[in-house]
Amino acid sequence: MQRLEEIKFDDMPSGFKCKEYMDSDIKKIVYQGVEGAYSHIVTQTLFPDENTENVNTFEDAINSVLNGEASYCVVPIENSSAGIVTDIFDLLLKKDVVIVAEYDLHISHCLLGITGASFFDIKIVYSHPQALMQCASYLKEHPEWSQISLLNTAVSAKKVKNEGKIEQAAIASELSAKLYGLNILDRGINRNSNNTTRFVVLSKEKIFSKASNKLSLILELPHEKGMLYNILGILVLNGLNLLKIESRPIPEKTFEYRFFIDIEANLNSANVSNVLEILKNKVPFLKILGNYCSNN
């Protein structure tokens, strides 16, 4: 079977080089959504002095990096309440980009309506599917409200503002309320006070830093008894700590799965090189998603 990415050990695995991502000549940073989106907030936090641009979809953001229009893109990858952003995981599999940084953003959703609207006028609520999931408990208390998914939380806020209908509301950030002149009808509606979204910075340049301590991989394992156990054993025997494992079905193979794993490791380490050398001979699918600094 053809590999997603051949691992070479002439210099660094798969052509990676040691370089700080902020040391690059940054052309532009892109994010999905519009101003006021949580991706916009993270982009402004990480790159306050850089040129930024918004695009319609996650794939548009990644393609902007791949075609050289932007140096990096910022995308959400996981939420502590609603789980992984499946679209991003699928794109990381298909697209030749790597993670160079991550950032955890505490999320506090607000219910937004137009000026003059009251809580009791609401009939339709717009937001991103993840935001609707994060606010599921709150929304269950209002079964009379219709829920409609849109591309982004801030896009939802902008729609409510532009259409000016008293019965419409959006679930979005406090910044979106300020940007689009909407009233905050309710705050903290995600209920979970620890609600956090992990964002990642993606690059087409395969770089990592000396301080990088999280290594992300995609593995497809042979459909053999005990194979996952054996792979995890390889990590243990080489002194590597498994931070996370996430499975995704392989559409073209019935009830077979790819595994996204995070390991506490740096590509410069001899034990990491040893593990990757072993894995390339044991698994039919292997891709290094990035080596970067953990938030934790």
Side-chain angles (χ1 to χ4, degrees):
M1 182 182 296
Q2 186 178 5
R3 300 180 189 277
L4 284 179
E5 181 176 12
E6 284 294 327
I7 299 179
K8 301 176 182 178
F9 294 88
D10 300 330
D11 185 9
M12 288 293 171
S14 300
F16 277 80
K17 61 182 178 181
C18 196
K19 175 184 176 183
E20 297 290 337
Y21 79 98
M22 291 300 288
D23 289 343
S24 299
D25 182 15
I26 299 176
K27 184 182 300 183
K28 183 169 60 180
I29 316 296
V30 297
Y31 63 92
Q32 184 269 339
V34 297
E35 289 187 3
Y38 293 106
S39 294
H40 173 232
I41 294 171
V42 173
T43 301
Q44 292 297 314
T45 301
L46 294 177
F47 304 97
D49 301 319
E50 303 297 339
N51 180 31
T52 63
E53 182 179 303
N54 60 304
V55 293
N56 289 329
T57 68
F58 295 138
E59 188 164 14
D60 289 340
I62 292 175
N63 286 341
S64 293
V65 172
L66 289 174
N67 65 27
E69 292 180 6
S71 299
Y72 304 120
C73 68
V74 176
V75 296
I77 194 170
E78 180 181 18
N79 177 266
S80 60
S81 302
I84 65 169
V85 182
T86 56
D87 289 349
I88 297 299
F89 275 70
D90 292 340
L91 287 167
L92 287 174
L93 175 68
K94 297 187 297 182
K95 302 289 186 176
D96 193 19
V97 290
V98 299
I99 301 170
V100 296
E102 70 174 6
Y103 183 85
D104 289 348
L105 179 70
H106 178 259
I107 303 292
S108 181
H109 292 302
C110 298
L111 184 71
L112 311 180
I114 64 169
T115 300
S118 75
F119 186 84
F120 303 101
D121 294 316
I122 303 306
K123 295 180 181 178
I124 303 172
V125 177
Y126 298 97
S127 198
H128 185 272
Q130 279 265 333
L132 293 173
M133 289 172 61
Q134 292 162 30
C135 300
S137 296
Y138 178 85
L139 292 171
K140 282 181 181 178
E141 298 170 8
H142 304 282
E144 70 277 12
W145 295 351
S146 298
Q147 301 173 35
I148 299 179
S149 299
L150 295 180
L151 281 173
N152 189 269
T153 54
V155 166
S156 303
K158 190 174 182 180
K159 175 182 175 66
V160 169
K161 174 61 176 178
N162 289 344
E163 296 189 359
K165 296 180 179 179
I166 201 169
E167 69 272 16
Q168 293 183 348
I171 294 175
S173 66
E174 185 172 346
L175 177 60
S176 291
K178 293 177 181 177
L179 287 173
Y180 301 112
L182 295 173
N183 286 345
I184 298 177
L185 303 177
D186 208 350
R187 297 176 184 270
I189 64 172
N190 40 274
R191 298 297 197 213
N192 180 3
S193 60
N194 295 318
N195 188 34
T196 301
T197 296
R198 181 162 70 104
F199 290 80
V200 291
V201 179
L202 302 179
S203 168
K204 71 173 181 179
E205 188 179 14
K206 296 180 179 180
I207 55 177
F208 71 104
S209 75
K210 292 179 180 179
S212 295
N213 59 358
K214 181 185 283 190
L215 178 66
S216 295
L217 307 172
I218 303 177
L219 301 175
E220 181 183 331
L221 304 183
H223 196 51
E224 300 172 8
K225 186 176 181 180
M227 194 62 197
L228 179 58
Y229 176 83
N230 291 335
I231 294 299
L232 297 179
I234 292 169
L235 301 181
V236 173
L237 290 173
N238 282 273
L240 297 180
N241 181 33
L242 179 68
L243 300 172
K244 175 186 172 65
I245 184 166
E246 188 84 39
S247 64
R248 292 280 292 140
I250 304 174
E252 62 272 19
K253 296 181 179 180
T254 304
F255 299 124
E256 293 191 31
Y257 299 86
R258 291 189 181 98
F259 295 89
F260 292 75
I261 65 174
D262 291 339
I263 306 166
E264 189 175 2
N266 185 282
L267 285 172
N268 263 331
S269 303
N271 57 344
V272 173
S273 295
N274 186 50
V275 165
L276 293 176
E277 181 68 31
I278 294 170
L279 289 179
K280 80 168 185 177
N281 293 313
K282 283 187 173 291
V283 302
F285 242 32
L286 176 62
K287 184 178 182 181
I288 299 175
L289 290 179
N291 192 199
Y292 49 98
C293 293
S294 170
N295 286 317
N296 301 316

